[in-house]
Amino acid sequence: MNSIVQFVRAPVMRRNKLSVSDTTLTLKFVINSMEGGGAERALANLIHYLEQPLIGCDVELVLLDDRDIKQALPAWIKVKVLDGRGSFVRSTIQLIGYLSKHRPDVVVSYLARANCLNVFSAFLYGHRAVISERVQTSSHLSTSRARALFEWLTRVCYPRADKVVAVSQGVADDLSQNFKVPTDRICVIGNPIDANALRAKARETPAHLLPERFILAVGRMVLNKNFPMLLEGYAKANPAENLVILGDGPERKALEKLVHDLGLTGRVHMSGFVGNPYPIMAQAHCLVSCSNAEGFPNTIIEAMTLGTPVIATDCPSGPAEVLRGVAVMGRDVTKNARDGLLIPTSSPDSLCKALTVMADQEIRNKYAALAQERSQSFGVDNVVRAYLDLIFAEQLTPTPQEGNSI
């Protein structure tokens, strides 16, 4: 308890630089689990790209919860699974105990629980804490039953991180304005999107038998993804295409009931989590995202990379930055953004209009071409270099090792 009180009261401190004599950087990535979410997929992708630049370093992925690993991880990364069971207190005890015996130089964490524990353990053990915020924090916490507690934890912990990675400028602005994170500690780094790798995966055989024509949605079945809006807007539009939803989560049963109540049985296909969604994504007439909040909308950019046109809500934050626009209620949906159809949040009527517009083959072709062109702005090299700069920020030896290229 004394350590916690000291941490809350302590001023924000800079970490000491690594000694020139340090020849091996000890790096740990920490995340809640490697289940089927966007943050998990983003970290798995990043780890793939870091193999060569991190040769010679001691690198480990630490998972707070003992849950199924659904993301494809490269063979080179060591994995340590703790047993936090989704509990903040239990995760604290487990991670603090583990790091006390396996001291890192740098810890890079994803997701709120891992981020807060990263910063607290850095206070105890002195490593550099780099945390990554994947969603627009204010909007994300607004639906939490423990909102007040998590807002307090964010305000206490995040400003004390050595660096806070925001996946979009909107996320960065929210952290600065609402959680008192100093702007000089925030950097905006998106997720690495490897167009060639995506297209190769898209050529594989789909994991499920698909309808001949379908609209696609991808994401965890949680309140924040607002699948009820998707189903209600789809029912209003009554398009010729079926609806395929990839993902799973705690809201599945409620969504299955809504499908029945809306008379959509047989037209909506809930296929669960799919390890390789890209063959399905490439064949979809369009991708629809109805989220109430996003950080960096990975799925949207992946679909655009594959030439799949996008309909997305103008939620805080990310979709508007990617599609380059702003949604205005009542305005022609084709006038809201340059690179896709951007619609207001929580508006099934707006989704109905967008689906009606996207039913036109010529319009779909137009947005498919714009999507592919726009997706070229989100490449791998810049993201990987930015993370390497953070990882090696206070090391005095040259990095990455000579001869390693990205």
Side-chain angles (χ1 to χ4, degrees):
M1 179 62 73
N2 287 339
S3 294
I4 296 174
V5 172
Q6 291 169 0
F7 169 68
V8 172
R9 292 178 177 175
V12 176
M13 302 287 288
R14 290 290 185 191
R15 305 292 167 206
N16 292 328
K17 290 189 176 182
L18 297 175
S19 167
V20 177
S21 63
D22 291 332
T23 57
T24 300
L25 182 84
T26 300
L27 167 66
K28 297 191 186 299
F29 293 97
V30 180
I31 192 170
N32 300 352
S33 70
M34 270 291 165
E35 290 190 299
E40 293 86 345
R41 185 166 77 251
L43 179 54
N45 288 341
L46 178 64
I47 289 171
H48 274 280
Y49 303 130
L50 289 174
E51 179 176 6
Q52 287 300 315
L54 293 181
I55 286 176
C57 298
D58 181 8
V59 188
E60 184 177 49
L61 171 63
V62 180
L63 308 180
L64 297 180
D65 300 330
D66 186 5
R67 295 178 180 170
D68 290 344
I69 297 177
K70 296 183 177 179
Q71 304 295 338
L73 295 173
W76 72 271
I77 188 75
K78 296 182 292 183
V79 180
K80 173 63 180 179
V81 181
L82 304 179
D83 191 24
R85 303 180 191 178
S87 163
F88 191 90
V89 173
R90 186 179 177 90
S91 297
T92 302
I93 295 169
Q94 295 247 323
L95 184 64
I96 295 302
Y98 183 70
L99 294 183
S100 70
K101 300 174 184 176
H102 305 273
R103 298 288 183 88
D105 298 309
V106 183
V107 174
V108 177
S109 56
Y110 277 43
L111 300 178
R113 179 165 34 124
N115 287 342
C116 291
L117 295 185
N118 183 4
V119 176
F120 180 56
S121 61
F123 170 77
L124 295 177
Y125 301 132
H127 62 256
R128 293 187 61 249
V130 177
I131 67 176
S132 181
E133 187 55 78
R134 319 305 300 171
V135 297
Q136 212 263 6
T137 314
S138 294
S139 296
H140 180 68
L141 294 181
S142 67
T143 60
S144 172
R145 294 186 181 91
R147 175 179 179 177
L149 173 62
F150 287 121
E151 286 184 344
W152 178 80
L153 280 171
T154 304
R155 289 192 178 96
V156 168
C157 293
Y158 279 37
R160 288 172 164 79
D162 289 275
K163 210 70 176 180
V164 181
V165 177
V167 288
S168 68
Q169 188 58 51
V171 171
D173 293 342
D174 179 60
L175 290 171
S176 175
Q177 294 165 12
N178 297 316
F179 296 94
K180 302 187 184 305
V181 180
T183 56
D184 63 349
R185 296 203 177 192
I186 302 174
C187 61
V188 178
I189 307 175
N191 293 333
I193 304 296
D194 187 334
N196 291 331
L198 281 185
R199 290 171 186 141
K201 290 180 179 179
R203 289 191 290 270
E204 296 178 8
T205 302
H208 294 277
L209 186 65
L210 300 169
E212 183 178 351
R213 304 169 63 191
F214 64 94
I215 294 160
L216 179 66
V218 181
R220 273 182 52 78
M221 292 179 175
V222 293
L223 292 174
N224 201 43
K225 296 298 182 182
N226 203 351
F227 284 109
M229 173 186 162
L230 170 68
L231 294 173
E232 291 165 15
Y234 175 78
K236 286 175 180 287
N238 193 28
E241 297 83 9
N242 280 197
L243 175 62
V244 174
I245 301 176
L246 303 183
D248 218 330
E251 296 300 308
R252 185 182 183 100
K253 287 187 177 180
L255 294 173
E256 290 173 341
K257 181 178 184 303
L258 183 57
V259 167
H260 177 269
D261 293 346
L262 291 172
L264 297 175
T265 302
R267 299 198 61 205
V268 177
H269 307 266
M270 296 185 182
S271 302
F273 173 79
V274 175
N276 179 11
Y278 306 114
I280 301 172
M281 192 176 285
Q283 294 181 34
H285 277 221
C286 65
L287 176 101
V288 180
S289 172
C290 292
S291 295
N292 294 329
E294 286 284 352
F296 182 89
N298 218 50
T299 299
I300 291 175
I301 299 170
E302 289 172 341
M304 295 170 73
T305 301
L306 296 174
T308 302
V310 168
I311 301 170
T313 49
D314 187 6
C315 63
S317 55
E321 292 181 37
V322 173
L323 298 180
R324 293 187 288 188
V326 60
V328 177
M329 185 69 76
R331 185 164 67 183
D332 182 345
V333 293
T334 65
K335 307 297 184 184
N336 285 337
R338 293 174 56 179
D339 305 300
L341 298 184
L342 196 64
I343 59 176
T345 57
S346 302
S347 177
D349 288 338
S350 297
L351 176 57
C352 173
K353 293 174 183 176
L355 288 171
T356 302
V357 167
M358 204 65 85
D360 185 292
Q361 179 69 54
E362 187 175 336
I363 291 177
R364 278 206 310 277
N365 291 343
K366 168 190 169 183
Y367 282 112
L370 288 170
Q372 278 196 312
E373 182 180 354
R374 174 61 173 155
S375 71
Q376 295 174 16
S377 302
F378 304 94
V380 171
D381 286 0
N382 289 340
V383 172
V384 173
R385 289 184 188 279
Y387 267 99
L388 289 172
D389 286 345
L390 293 181
I391 290 167
F392 291 105
E394 295 186 5
Q395 189 180 25
L396 301 184
T397 52
T399 58
Q401 288 195 357
E402 187 177 354
N404 294 336
S405 60
I406 298 170

